[in-house]
Amino acid sequence: MKKSAVVLMVLVTGLFAASFAFAAGQQEGQAAGGKIKIAMVVKSLGNTFFDAAHQGGEQAAKELGNVDLIYQGPSTPTPEGQIALIDSLIAQRVNAIEISANDTDALVPIAKKAMAAGIKVISFDSGIAPDGRILHLAASNDELIGRSEVQIIAKLLNYQGEIAILSATAQATNQNTWIDYMKKELQDPKYANMKLDAVVYGDDLADKSYREATGLFKSYPNLKGIISPTTVGIMYTAKAIEDAGLAGKIQLTGLGLPSQMKQYITDGTCQEMELWNPIDLGYTATYISYLLVKGNVTSVSPGQSFTVGKMGSLTVGDNNVVVMGKPFVFDKSNIDKFASIY
Ligand code: RAM
């Protein structure tokens, strides 16, 4: 049987068969009878979105039984901070690294070094370029996210007025991809009376996001709407809008955590926003990392499927990207229900 066919067979047969097939294959770095060491490296510590992903990762680790999940991230979202962490994880001989990348390309060399040392590297949430990972796990479809954000702000503004985007870091793979699709969507003639004034970066930091939002109000007195496709950015933009007495005058949408945005959704500062379940994202990333370690899988190809515990079957798509689901829209009618979960 061809090697690729063997890999495929293993991946589609599900957890029971997978553990059976690989019971004999101890991984390097996994002490005999010891736990599989999976490192979740996030953009930065202190971001509640990633705390929720960590929670999901722990759920998967518990369910799988013999996983030690190491949660790490730099104090600020820089690729340099992540490179230093990965270097030390290589030295610790972890079995897998799942990373939400602060840069698409800058992390490729260190990720390659990790893979050459036998570590299974995947990206999740924010991708590394294909050379630097076995696969990328996307919470949702990038095009859908980018285009729907513009559709929401346009609806809130009756298709009229100046808008701005307040993003995370300037190098973030995920936000940059979504912003590209936002710009494409804005080219549709139905947005002829709308104008994108600026894209600014709050770096997923509280004060910088707040300052950048305030800066937008000053620089663009005719600003009518802001899209903030980051859970940190949208929360501090909402706060800045309220503090400046601009609620209702500047509409806000983006990607927010229901637990952090509940008050702003309820009082109308942000009428609608989107997101997906970050707990499920962390669960899935950890579960897939485990399957790759167990199967000693070094490459996958489009069309393969994984059986990922409670998430069911997920299929690898183009460029080895696995897409989880559709973004969910939150508004006054459903925010209370989700605010207690994530
Ligand atoms: C922030 C991070 C993360 C992104 C969410 C929407 O927490 O930038 O990468 O997916 O927002």
Side-chain angles (χ1 to χ4, degrees), residues 43 47 49-50 100 125 168 174-175 178 204 229-231 255 275-276:
K43 284 179 167 178
N47 179 339
F49 176 89
F50 292 115
S100 172
D125 178 56
N174 52 350
Q175 274 91 8
W178 302 330
D204 274 351
T230 129
T231 57
L255 303 173
L275 199 68
W276 38 85

Side-chain angles (χ1 to χ4, degrees), residues 134-168:
I134 297 172
L135 60 81
H136 172 66
L137 176 68
S140 186
N141 176 289
D142 288 327
E143 178 162 5
L144 199 65
I145 297 168
R147 290 188 185 274
S148 60
E149 293 282 286
V150 169
Q151 288 155 10
I152 293 173
I153 202 74
K155 186 180 70 182
L156 295 174
L157 296 179
N158 291 322
Y159 292 82
Q160 239 161 17
E162 295 176 25
I163 61 167
I165 296 170
L166 192 148
S167 188

